[in-house]
Amino acid sequence: MQLSLLFLDCEGDPVQELSAIVMSIANRHIVDIYHAHAQPNAYDGWSRRHIHGLNRSYLKTHGFSNQKALVSNFKEWLRHQNVIAMYANAPAKEARLLNNANILDLRLPNWSEREYLMSHRTARDFKMKALPITSVKGFKSCPSEVHSEFEKIHRPLPQHLSLTDLAKKRYGYHCSLYDVYALYLHYVTDN
């Protein structure tokens, strides 16, 4: 079995979307992708409207019963991977989710710099068009309807926003699948 790296991202508090990409160390190709959802057992209204926009009806129909069940399923999937290291951006949340697992920080540049990176632009374009990400085991995509409760933050006029705020506004909702795709692309193209 080939040695792999894993890239990880999650959305919601409690976590309602969890995604991972497994990359072969030998050739940097995607080996497998994990993408699943959980029903919220608490209401994270501000994040739902302004960060991830996850649709509660979708989560109820397609998600695990709660965060614990989602994490259990992820750990079972992870047992079948030959991962030697895990990466996330500012991984404190992911580390807590996985019982303080050792997750390395990929340290993406700040928003105003990363929006010009090929990795960021490609992942954003895939997200906006709901394009599938390929792996040896098939294709994964996340239709924008899954994030239909997203509302842009109503802030001052653009001339009063910071470069970071403008970059975040242009990026739109966060989807763990496409965010983890950006991490993978950053690792293979920007480094």
Side-chain angles (χ1 to χ4, degrees):
M1 183 179 245
Q2 61 187 325
L3 297 176
S4 304
L5 299 179
L6 181 134
F7 303 91
L8 182 67
D9 188 68
C10 60
E11 296 297 336
D13 188 19
V15 172
Q16 297 151 51
E17 184 178 42
L18 177 60
S19 299
I21 289 180
V22 177
M23 178 197 85
S24 165
I25 291 175
N27 60 20
R28 294 183 167 203
H29 292 170
I30 294 174
V31 175
D32 203 357
I33 298 173
Y34 181 90
H35 182 229
H37 298 88
Q39 299 173 33
N41 59 7
Y43 183 67
D44 64 342
W46 194 90
S47 294
R48 186 168 313 286
R49 289 189 315 274
H50 304 300
I51 298 175
H52 57 72
L54 287 163
N55 180 301
R56 287 168 288 184
S57 296
Y58 179 88
L59 297 177
K60 198 172 277 190
T61 306
H62 297 93
F64 287 95
S65 59
N66 56 38
Q67 174 183 293
K68 184 177 179 181
L70 173 64
V71 170
S72 178
N73 179 263
F74 174 76
K75 287 180 177 179
E76 178 60 29
W77 172 84
L78 188 57
R79 284 183 345 106
H80 302 285
Q81 308 299 329
N82 196 15
V83 172
I84 62 167
M86 293 189 278
Y87 289 93
N89 184 53
K93 183 176 179 181
E94 289 82 5
R96 278 192 313 275
L97 183 68
L98 299 177
N99 298 322
N100 297 312
N102 184 24
I103 301 173
L104 303 170
D105 191 351
L106 196 56
R107 296 180 190 210
L108 290 176
N110 67 47
W111 279 90
S112 61
E113 294 172 15
R114 91 174 71 150
E115 87 169 316
Y116 298 104
L117 296 175
M118 183 61 70
S119 58
H120 183 81
R121 292 191 327 229
T122 301
R124 183 192 61 223
D125 290 348
F126 268 60
K127 175 184 73 172
M128 299 313 256
K129 296 173 185 171
L131 295 175
I133 300 168
T134 187
S135 75
V136 172
K137 298 180 181 180
F139 295 92
K140 300 280 185 182
S141 65
C142 190
S144 58
E145 306 87 68
V146 176
H147 299 271
S148 63
E149 292 191 29
F150 177 77
E151 303 168 13
K152 288 188 176 177
I153 298 172
H154 300 291
R155 292 193 180 169
L157 296 173
Q159 64 265 25
H160 300 295
L161 294 175
S162 70
L163 293 176
T164 296
D165 288 337
L166 286 169
K168 287 181 177 181
K169 190 172 186 173
R170 286 189 285 269
Y171 186 73
Y173 66 87
H174 289 245
C175 170
S176 68
L177 178 63
Y178 296 109
D179 289 356
V180 81
Y181 189 46
L183 290 172
Y184 160 75
L185 290 172
H186 180 69
Y187 185 89
V188 298
T189 64
D190 299 331
N191 291 316

